[in-house]
């Protein structure tokens, strides 16, 4: 599995790029090259969760980036949850690319002081082999994250085999994360992997949390110019 905040295909390699390359947040130039590199990375995985994937706006050249990545990396199944749109200039959301057909796809808006966050949920398998994958991108503010993590804890409390991945905007042992571990089958990652900023990772913001699986491999992976490293994981059912 892979979880990647793709920054809508933009390239950021230093803090100064947030200013000098600010045009990339409204124009599509250069994003196709990054998306092709992301597709090559994604092709090594069976399931990929995306955050900050543009569903089709000016900055993406009116291309649904999840659709494009699924086609380029040969994923037969994909889904996109648009969460935030700024007119026709920019859009952002969560997405799933999968080589396995989900039995059910659901999406939910997350609570918060500012709207525009969500969780995309996919169920796989049936009976004892059933499991759930959730993809999310939490808010920057602690109070909003507390609300969102409480919502996720309640939503995912009955799933014995579960994966929750995404950009949490906090470390996996932050105080607001405790309710999630207490009320679901999810466990903290086996090690602390820093993912931001991608050019000199110092903060551990992106995680893949697992319940009911053994983690065989857990690592940070460069995500084609994004300001976040991706997280790659290999799992084995218990």
């Amino acid at each position: 599995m892979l979880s990647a905040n793709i920054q809508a295909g933009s390239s950021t390699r230093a803090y100064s790029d947030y200013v000098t390359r600010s045009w990339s947040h409204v124009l599509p130039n250069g994003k196709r090259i990054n998306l092709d590199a992301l597709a090559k990375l994604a092709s090594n995985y069976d399931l990929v969760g995306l955050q900050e994937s543009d569903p089709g706006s000016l900055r993406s050249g009116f291309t649904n980036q999840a659709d494009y990545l699924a086609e380029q990396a040969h994923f037969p199944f994909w889904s996109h949850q648009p969460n935030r749109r700024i007119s026709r200039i920019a859009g952002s959301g969560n997405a799933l690319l999968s080589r396995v057909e989900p039995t059910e796809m659901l999406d939910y808006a997350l609570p918060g002081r500012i709207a525009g966050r969500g969780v995309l949920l996919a169920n796989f398998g049936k009976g004892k082999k059933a499991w759930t994958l959730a993809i999310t991108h939490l808010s920057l503010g602690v109070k909003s994250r507390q609300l969102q993590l409480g919502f996720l804890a309640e939503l995912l409390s009955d799933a014995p085999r579960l994966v929750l991945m995404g950009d949490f905007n906090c470390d996996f042992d932050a105080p607001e994360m405790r309710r999630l571990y207490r009320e679901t089958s999810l466990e903290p990652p086996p090690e602390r992997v820093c993912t931001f900023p991608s050019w000199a990772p110092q903060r551990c913001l992106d995680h893949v949390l697992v319940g009911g699986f053994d983690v065989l491999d857990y690592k940070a992976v460069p995500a084609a110019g994004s300001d976040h490293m991706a997280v790659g994981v290999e799992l084995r059912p218990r």
Side-chain angles (χ1 to χ4, degrees):
M1 296 185 184
L2 183 76
S3 178
N5 179 329
I6 66 171
Q7 202 187 9
S10 295
S11 179
T12 306
R13 304 186 186 280
Y15 282 114
S16 60
D17 284 356
Y18 289 117
V19 177
T20 60
R21 294 181 56 84
S22 59
W23 54 265
S24 68
H25 296 289
V26 295
L27 296 175
N29 307 58
K31 292 186 173 64
R32 187 60 58 88
I33 295 174
N34 288 334
L35 289 176
D36 288 343
L38 283 165
K40 185 176 181 180
L41 171 64
S43 67
N44 297 314
Y45 295 86
D46 297 314
L47 293 144
V48 178
L50 305 175
Q51 305 90 50
E52 293 193 23
S53 176
D54 196 305
S57 68
L58 175 62
R59 72 170 173 175
S60 67
F62 298 100
T63 296
N64 185 307
Q65 294 179 331
D67 184 14
Y68 181 83
L69 290 170
E71 182 177 354
Q72 295 301 308
H74 307 293
F75 283 90
F77 308 104
W78 71 275
S79 184
H80 191 277
Q81 179 197 33
N83 292 316
R84 181 173 297 170
R85 180 176 291 277
I86 304 173
S87 184
R88 290 168 58 85
I89 297 173
S92 187
N94 303 312
L96 168 69
L97 314 179
S98 179
R99 305 199 186 282
V100 183
E101 184 176 9
T103 57
E104 184 178 35
M105 291 294 308
L106 301 167
D107 66 81
Y108 300 88
L110 291 178
R113 302 177 74 176
I114 300 175
R117 304 286 182 173
V119 57
L120 180 62
L121 191 148
N123 291 315
F124 295 90
K126 295 181 180 180
K128 293 182 179 180
K129 294 184 177 181
W131 67 283
T132 297
L133 169 64
I135 302 162
T136 195
H137 187 179
L138 303 185
S139 292
L140 293 168
V142 174
K143 290 185 178 179
S144 289
R145 282 202 305 274
Q146 288 174 334
L147 291 172
Q148 292 161 1
L149 288 162
F151 178 90
L152 290 170
E154 184 175 350
L155 177 68
L156 304 173
S157 61
D158 294 331
R161 298 174 68 196
L162 172 65
V163 177
L164 172 62
M165 61 169 59
D167 178 355
F168 289 71
N169 272 310
C170 66
D171 209 324
F172 68 77
D173 59 0
E176 61 265 33
M177 296 286 285
R178 294 170 186 167
R179 181 177 175 184
L180 196 63
Y181 303 133
R182 188 171 61 247
E183 297 184 14
T184 73
S185 63
L186 294 169
E187 300 174 357
E191 57 186 292
R192 176 171 276 101
V193 172
C194 291
T195 57
F196 182 87
S198 58
W199 55 90
Q202 297 176 346
R203 301 181 65 192
C204 309
L205 304 181
D206 304 85
H207 313 296
V208 178
L209 310 179
V210 175
F213 294 89
D214 292 323
V215 180
L216 305 182
D217 190 29
Y218 193 93
K219 60 187 178 183
V221 183
S226 173
D227 57 351
H228 286 249
M229 298 279 280
V231 178
V233 184
E234 183 180 355
L235 302 179
R236 179 178 62 196
R238 288 177 182 167

